[in-house]
């Protein structure tokens, strides 16, 4: 499967990302939930049962941090690509 790379201008043109006023409350909330998910991931022991959950928690933590970063720069992102 070949993935098409989308550039920043195309993201804005397609409204996948749009300019907004930074929302400090949302940014702080995202940072907190990101931290909680990462800590939860770290507290789980790694096993065949927990491995995928640990990965999902770590991925969500990173995604929320990136969303918070975009918000601090005045952008709302509407997908995770």
């Amino acid at each position: 499967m070949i993935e098409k790379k989308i550039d920043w201008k195309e993201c804005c043109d397609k409204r996948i990302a749009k300019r907004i006023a930074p929302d400090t409350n949302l940014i702080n909330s995202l940072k907190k939930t990101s931290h909680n998910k990462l800590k939860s991931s770290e507290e789980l022991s790694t096993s065949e049962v927990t491995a995928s959950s640990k990965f999902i928690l770590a991925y969500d933590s990173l995604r929320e941090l990136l969303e918070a970063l975009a918000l601090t720069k005045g952008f709302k992102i509407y997908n995770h690509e």
Side-chain angles (χ1 to χ4, degrees):
M1 180 168 123
I2 298 173
E3 283 191 39
K4 180 184 178 236
K5 300 289 183 192
I6 298 176
D7 68 17
W8 183 247
K9 182 180 177 333
E10 187 177 355
C11 284
C12 292
D13 290 346
K14 290 184 174 184
R15 314 263 308 149
I16 294 169
K18 74 174 189 174
R19 191 78 53 207
I20 61 159
D23 181 339
T24 304
N25 290 330
L26 179 56
I27 292 165
N28 290 334
S29 176
L30 285 166
K31 287 179 181 179
K32 183 177 179 180
T33 58
S34 171
H35 175 76
N36 290 343
K37 287 179 181 181
L38 186 58
K39 291 296 285 179
S40 296
S41 173
E42 291 169 350
E43 288 182 14
L44 283 173
S45 61
T46 303
S47 72
E48 197 171 300
V49 173
T50 64
S52 64
S53 296
K54 285 177 64 94
F55 180 83
I56 289 167
L57 285 166
Y59 174 86
D60 282 348
S61 173
L62 177 60
R63 187 192 55 75
E64 287 178 350
L65 276 180
L66 292 171
E67 184 177 350
L69 176 63
L71 287 168
T72 64
K73 301 295 183 184
F75 287 97
K76 174 71 177 156
I77 310 295
Y78 290 98
N79 70 16
H80 64 268
E81 296 173 15

